[in-house]
Amino acid sequence: MATPPSYLVPYPQRGSVLADEELEAITEVLRSDVPLSGGVYREAFEQRFREMIGARHALSVTSGTVALSLAVALLGLRPGDELIVTPQTYKATIQPLLDYPVTVRFCDVDPLTLNADPASIEALVTERTKAILLVHYGGLPADMDRIMDIARRHGILVVEDCAHALGSRYRDRRPGALADIGCFSFHTSKNITTLGEGGMVTMHNAEHGDAWAVRLDRMRSNDSDADYVPAGLRIGDRQDAPPWMLHAGNSYTHDCVELRSSGTNATLPEPSAAVGIVQLNRLDRLVKRRRENAARITDVLRAFPFVEPVTESGDVVNAYHLYTFFLDPAVGVTRDTVVERLGQLGVQLQLRYFPLHLLPEWRARGHRFGECPAAEEVWFRRQVNVPCQPSLSDQQVNHLLEALHTVLTEVERTAG
């Protein structure tokens, strides 16, 4: 059996950097008498996050996947509803939709950004379209003004998956406050982490946001997503709940008139929230390092006309959760050859992400190859992702640049 290669530039196992401040924050929590399952640190983290994003509400949960699942629950999906989704994202973005009797339509992507293509979205809109689910791929915000214009004209809700986009900007605004609902991940690979897992749901819809925040707080706290009214007849004809019924809540005094779904326990623990506060304070420095690494990579790639990197326009700031570039197939060397050669030179790569409409569970729903031509062409033939995480040392970044230059020079010579 061949020995696995030793990578000088590893694929990021951690997308953030943890230091003494995080240890001090955890120690402070453990030495206090606050309940570890949620309280003052969680509330402070949510307030800080809400103010930074500029959203009406921000509620933390245990993971980005849970955030997306709860966000979908807020949409009020019914049989026959249709949703337009991007195929170029992690499966968690749309995975909750497998539990609903709805029609999922995959839009295509812009081949230069891998974000949802607004023209493709509009072509899929019908009178049954309930919502759009998109991602800010790699940290580059999608074309949200065009997408939100489509959504508002047709009365469609928009959920933005911001798992890559913490630290990004879109025309002086931040992802998470660009649509109706935003979902963030604090997984160990993301731009900040809350001890390996964590998430946040932001709500910026003026009409529904306040009610959504109440519903989501119930769901994450093990309460049902339901509507309650004062009880007409109190249980046992008692007028007041006994004082020892500390957790009785409205179960004694109210009746349920509409039940939408059961709840879950998804409250972010206090140590995680305390670390999240420290990580938010460090976010600008972490993103600055990502952008510095990305700029150096781009400088190398610019010397090769058969390579096109994902960059940014003047009114958009890319947080570079992922660094992506595209290889022109006409050069005569396959993308797979380039990826394999970089691996031989000590650069560990993963290509993010396999087109979702081609996953087995979505093919079981009737989706097929050819549905999203641009996404398929890019992923199977052109796309390369290379590391740019802030934990890379200067030596590792230098090695990455040298490897890229070596491999692309070999491609250029082969083409010549």
Side-chain angles (χ1 to χ4, degrees), residues 78 259 313 384:
R78 296 289 184 266
L259 177 64
S313 62
V384 181

Side-chain angles (χ1 to χ4, degrees), residues 20-93:
D20 289 344
E21 292 92 337
E22 284 81 0
L23 291 173
E24 292 169 3
I26 295 170
T27 300
E28 177 183 308
V29 174
L30 296 182
R31 287 179 174 172
S32 72
D33 60 355
V34 300
L36 297 181
S37 59
V40 295
Y41 290 92
R42 185 187 71 191
E43 292 170 1
F45 180 41
E46 292 171 349
Q47 179 178 349
R48 174 84 169 83
F49 198 91
R50 182 175 63 251
E51 292 170 350
M52 184 190 71
I53 296 298
R56 294 173 64 89
H57 300 279
L59 284 84
S60 60
V61 292
T62 48
S63 74
T65 299
V66 169
L68 289 157
S69 181
L70 294 176
V72 168
L74 293 175
L75 298 178
L77 299 180
R78 296 289 184 266
D81 284 344
E82 297 181 1
L83 296 98
I84 299 171
V85 306
T86 177
Q88 180 53 281
T89 180
Y90 184 55
K91 62 184 179 180
T93 303

Side-chain angles (χ1 to χ4, degrees), residues 45 48-49 52 166 192 276-283:
F45 180 41
R48 174 84 169 83
F49 198 91
M52 184 190 71
L166 190 58
I192 70 166
I277 295 170
V278 176
Q279 287 273 287
L280 281 181
N281 292 336
R282 189 179 290 137
L283 175 64

Side-chain angles (χ1 to χ4, degrees), residues 123-141:
L124 294 174
V125 172
T126 74
E127 63 182 11
R128 292 180 174 272
T129 304
K130 179 75 171 183
I132 299 167
L133 274 63
L134 56 82
V135 73
H136 302 297
Y137 180 85
L140 179 68

Side-chain angles (χ1 to χ4, degrees), residues 5-322:
S6 177
Y7 294 104
L8 295 172
V9 184
Y11 183 80
Q13 300 302 313
R14 292 186 180 181
S16 183
V17 175
L18 299 170
D20 289 344
E21 292 92 337
E22 284 81 0
L23 291 173
E24 292 169 3
I26 295 170
T27 300
E28 177 183 308
V29 174
L30 296 182
R31 287 179 174 172
S32 72
D33 60 355
V34 300
L36 297 181
S37 59
V40 295
Y41 290 92
R42 185 187 71 191
E43 292 170 1
F45 180 41
E46 292 171 349
Q47 179 178 349
R48 174 84 169 83
F49 198 91
R50 182 175 63 251
E51 292 170 350
M52 184 190 71
I53 296 298
R56 294 173 64 89
H57 300 279
L59 284 84
S60 60
V61 292
T62 48
S63 74
T65 299
V66 169
L68 289 157
S69 181
L70 294 176
V72 168
L74 293 175
L75 298 178
L77 299 180
R78 296 289 184 266
D81 284 344
E82 297 181 1
L83 296 98
I84 299 171
V85 306
T86 177
Q88 180 53 281
T89 180
Y90 184 55
K91 62 184 179 180
T93 303
I94 65 170
Q95 191 164 271
L97 300 179
L98 290 168
D99 293 330
Y100 292 85
V102 297
T103 298
V104 173
R105 300 186 180 278
F106 287 91
C107 67
D108 214 340
V109 300
D110 181 332
L112 296 180
T113 67
L114 299 185
N115 280 321
D117 180 1
S120 180
I121 289 175
E122 185 147 34
L124 294 174
V125 172
T126 74
E127 63 182 11
R128 292 180 174 272
T129 304
K130 179 75 171 183
I132 299 167
L133 274 63
L134 56 82
V135 73
H136 302 297
Y137 180 85
L140 179 68
D143 190 348
M144 291 304 293
D145 282 352
R146 289 180 62 193
I147 292 171
M148 293 307 295
D149 175 66
I150 295 167
R152 294 298 177 249
R153 282 191 283 110
H154 295 281
I156 300 169
L157 297 171
V158 179
V159 177
E160 48 177 335
D161 183 343
C162 307
H164 300 175
L166 190 58
S168 300
R169 288 185 179 271
Y170 178 84
R171 298 178 179 173
D172 294 325
R173 293 175 287 156
R174 291 184 184 268
L178 302 176
D180 299 298
I181 303 175
C183 297
F184 292 82
S185 170
F186 309 133
H187 181 267
T188 186
S189 66
K190 297 305 189 290
N191 292 12
I192 70 166
T193 185
T194 49
L195 296 180
E197 289 287 1
M200 190 78 73
V201 182
T202 57
M203 286 146 285
H204 201 58
N205 181 295
E207 180 181 359
H208 303 293
D210 294 348
W212 280 343
V214 172
R215 290 174 55 194
L216 192 142
D217 188 38
R218 287 177 179 164
M219 286 189 285
R220 72 169 178 177
S221 304
N222 247 333
D223 286 333
S224 297
D225 179 16
D227 290 332
Y228 299 92
V229 297
L233 178 65
R234 300 190 188 281
I235 300 172
D237 293 326
R238 296 286 298 275
Q239 297 302 308
D240 297 296
W244 45 264
M245 280 190 173
L246 179 63
H247 299 290
N250 62 11
S251 60
Y252 181 76
T253 59
H254 287 69
D255 290 332
C256 178
V257 294
E258 181 182 0
L259 177 64
R260 286 174 288 268
S261 67
S262 62
T264 186
N265 183 1
T267 54
L268 191 68
E270 290 289 81
S272 298
V275 167
I277 295 170
V278 176
Q279 287 273 287
L280 281 181
N281 292 336
R282 189 179 290 137
L283 175 64
D284 288 345
R285 283 173 285 163
L286 295 171
V287 173
K288 181 174 183 289
R289 177 64 176 179
R290 284 181 178 275
R291 290 177 55 79
E292 289 170 349
N293 292 343
R296 296 185 65 192
I297 296 169
T298 300
D299 285 343
V300 171
L301 298 185
R302 282 183 177 142
F304 301 94
F306 51 87
V307 170
E308 180 75 25
V310 172
T311 54
E312 59 191 17
S313 62
D315 55 2
V316 172
V317 174
N318 191 341
Y320 284 104
H321 173 70
L322 301 173

